[in-house]
Amino acid sequence: MVGFRNRYMVMEVFVNPNRDKVGNDSIIITQFNVSKAVKDSLLENFGECGLASSLGSFQGSIRACKNAALKCEESKFEHYKLIVGDRFSTADSDGMNSCLNKIKVLEH
């Protein structure tokens, strides 16, 4: 019998609004841009061998990433509520719900 495991790598994208811009171009996140950034990061951190070993199973979509990010943030929020306990306010809840809504409306 052969065992098969799914392994996932979650990465967070930090957009730098202060980066050098050419003209008034806005920052556009596409599946190509994200996958290129991930591959560049794999190459830098794990070398050519690490990149090559990951390319065979490298796949993903922004929709899948959005769903994973949403689940991750929701679980972090629940964990935060447990830690804070009685000090949890409606302002905290409103702020977190605003962040979750921003993730939900991301383009896929």
Side-chain angles (χ1 to χ4, degrees), residues 53-67:
S53 65
S54 69
L55 287 179
S57 60
F58 185 78
Q59 59 185 354
S61 68
I62 291 179
R63 178 181 296 179
C65 293
K66 179 181 88 168
N67 292 339

Side-chain angles (χ1 to χ4, degrees), residues 69-79 96 100 104:
L70 192 56
K71 287 179 184 177
C72 180
E73 291 303 312
E74 286 173 344
S75 66
K76 284 199 280 185
F77 181 47
E78 292 301 319
H79 185 253
M96 189 59 206
L100 292 175
K104 287 178 185 175

Side-chain angles (χ1 to χ4, degrees), residues 8-19:
Y8 301 94
M9 177 174 40
V10 177
M11 301 185 108
E12 189 170 0
V13 176
F14 294 100
V15 179
N16 182 3
N18 298 323
R19 69 171 172 73

Side-chain angles (χ1 to χ4, degrees), residues 26-96:
S26 60
I27 298 170
I28 299 172
I29 297 177
T30 64
Q31 185 169 346
F32 174 76
N33 293 343
V34 172
S35 66
K36 182 178 180 332
V38 169
K39 289 174 186 175
D40 290 347
S41 178
L42 286 170
L43 180 62
E44 182 179 329
N45 291 301
F46 302 104
E48 291 178 0
C49 184
L51 175 63
S53 65
S54 69
L55 287 179
S57 60
F58 185 78
Q59 59 185 354
S61 68
I62 291 179
R63 178 181 296 179
C65 293
K66 179 181 88 168
N67 292 339
L70 192 56
K71 287 179 184 177
C72 180
E73 291 303 312
E74 286 173 344
S75 66
K76 284 199 280 185
F77 181 47
E78 292 301 319
H79 185 253
Y80 175 75
K81 285 196 303 190
L82 290 173
I83 291 173
V84 173
D86 294 339
R87 295 174 293 165
F88 186 74
S89 69
T90 56
D92 293 330
S93 181
D94 292 342
M96 189 59 206

